[in-house]
Amino acid sequence: MSRVEDGEGDDWTRPGVGSDPAEDPEVAEKPVEETLTRAIDEGRRRISRKTWPLLATGVLGGIDVGTGVLALLFVEHETQSVVLAGLAFSIGFIALTLARSELFTEDFLVPVTTVIARQARFRMLVRLWVGTLVANLVGGWLFTYLIIKGFPQFADTAIKAGHHYVQLGLGVTAFSLAVLGGTVITLMTWMQHTTESPGLRLVPAVTGGFLLAGAQLNHAVVNSLLMFAALHTGRAPFGYVEWAQTAGLAAAGNIVGGVLLVTLLRVFQSPHTVQRERDRPAVGVAVGDDRRHDPAARSDRPTSEPGI
């Protein structure tokens, strides 16, 4: 530690060059630590939901994004501009943010960080991913059906928008766009967790939604809803098999981009914060070959994984 004299002649210490933030809080990146802690706590809440609330939240997520698809189809039908349509699509992500619903791809940063911090088990993460994705698709399928039945004039626009993702194929181009899509939405999630202000959280919602739809990135839920809209017209030049292949590749790429390129690197920004959480694993999380139990827990306090 170095010694520095202030204006009144008193000595005080400053951290030395290369000080460890785990040992000296003065050199810690407080915003990063606070965001990680906020994400871990939010992940505990999401991952511990009972089955029906989890599915309901996922269905609502598909419906909320469906409002963005409605805006996209409307604007593209009227203007023939993909860029303006992409900007309009951000309405769906604004709805996601303010209505507190969730997308499958929003569950990369938050619950994955929670599992890494040993505040939840990996099987609970898989349950969250599968349940949310299926529910997103069910809600989105229903909402896009209503869109096409209510606005049959959008049929040609929907076919064009949905067919775009099939035309990408199943190669490097489609996978690269999927990795970018996962990166963008997970970065959006990170930025939203840097603040507790609802107003400021809208900024990444708008920018993330615009990039996903305006740049036509490959996003498992967004491309599924656009393809569903095309399929509902009865004139789509592809079927549900092509949809499943396209969405499956998109989901894999989204996970690579969201987990590897954003979540893990954010964890490495402040490893001591995560380690502090790992040193105190949650009740029910495996420690070696055993699950930790709280002998002082009340009988009415849950100590097992969520169920129905």
Side-chain angles (χ1 to χ4, degrees):
M1 305 288 284
S2 60
R3 311 284 299 182
V4 179
E5 186 175 303
D6 64 15
E8 297 180 358
D10 296 329
D11 289 342
W12 59 288
T13 60
R14 297 179 62 188
V17 176
S19 296
D20 186 354
E23 303 293 335
D24 197 330
E26 289 188 51
V27 298
E29 292 188 82
K30 292 294 185 182
V32 175
E33 292 186 357
E34 291 171 0
T35 302
L36 276 172
T37 302
R38 197 176 290 126
I40 292 169
D41 290 344
E42 172 70 10
R44 286 173 62 110
R45 183 186 66 80
R46 290 189 188 185
I47 214 166
S48 62
R49 285 196 189 107
K50 299 295 185 180
T51 299
W52 290 117
L54 185 156
L55 294 177
T57 302
V59 170
L60 289 170
I63 292 173
D64 290 346
V65 171
T67 64
V69 171
L70 172 59
L72 181 151
L73 294 176
F74 169 66
V75 171
E76 187 169 348
H77 174 75
E78 295 295 329
T79 67
Q80 303 302 309
S81 171
V82 174
V83 175
L84 290 178
L87 184 60
F89 172 79
S90 62
I91 290 173
F93 275 26
I94 292 173
L96 275 174
T97 300
L98 296 183
R100 303 291 294 177
S101 51
E102 290 168 21
L103 285 185
F104 156 69
T105 48
E106 285 187 292
D107 284 331
F108 293 159
L109 174 79
V110 173
V112 170
T113 304
T114 304
V115 171
I116 293 173
R118 297 175 75 184
Q119 300 305 308
R121 305 185 79 187
F122 179 74
R123 70 174 69 172
M124 298 167 69
L125 172 64
V126 174
R127 168 183 173 272
L128 176 67
W129 277 2
V130 172
T132 303
L133 177 58
V134 170
N136 287 163
L137 296 176
V138 169
W141 188 94
L142 175 61
F143 198 80
T144 52
Y145 175 83
L146 296 175
I147 291 174
I148 296 303
K149 296 305 178 183
F151 298 94
Q153 65 270 31
F154 293 170
D156 290 340
T157 304
I159 292 171
K160 177 183 175 183
H163 193 214
H164 165 77
Y165 296 98
V166 178
Q167 291 176 312
L168 291 175
L170 301 175
V172 174
T173 298
F175 188 76
S176 297
L177 290 174
V179 172
L180 291 174
T183 301
V184 166
I185 194 166
T186 308
L187 175 60
M188 181 195 81
T189 306
W190 173 265
M191 290 192 294
Q192 289 181 326
H193 280 77
T194 61
T195 177
E196 295 182 342
S197 167
L200 291 178
R201 288 188 172 197
L202 294 181
V203 176
V206 172
T207 55
F210 171 67
L211 279 177
L212 281 175
Q216 295 182 304
L217 301 182
N218 202 359
H219 182 278
V221 177
V222 175
N223 73 18
S224 290
L225 267 60
L226 290 171
M227 293 175 74
F228 287 159
L231 288 165
H232 290 321
T233 68
R235 297 190 285 109
F238 57 88
Y240 281 96
V241 172
E242 289 81 4
W243 159 74
Q245 293 172 336
T246 301
L249 180 69
N254 292 163
I255 292 172
V256 170
V259 175
L260 298 184
L261 297 187
V262 179
T263 300
L264 293 184
L265 293 178
R266 294 296 176 182
V267 167
F268 290 146
Q269 273 193 295
S270 185
H272 61 280
T273 302
V274 177
Q275 185 61 49
R276 187 166 59 239
E277 296 287 334
R278 288 177 62 85
D279 291 339
R280 298 175 298 170
V283 172
V285 174
V287 181
D289 295 328
D290 301 315
R291 293 174 64 181
R292 193 174 81 81
H293 297 277
D294 185 359
R298 302 191 311 270
S299 60
D300 62 340
R301 182 178 177 181
T303 59
S304 60
E305 296 170 24
I308 295 177

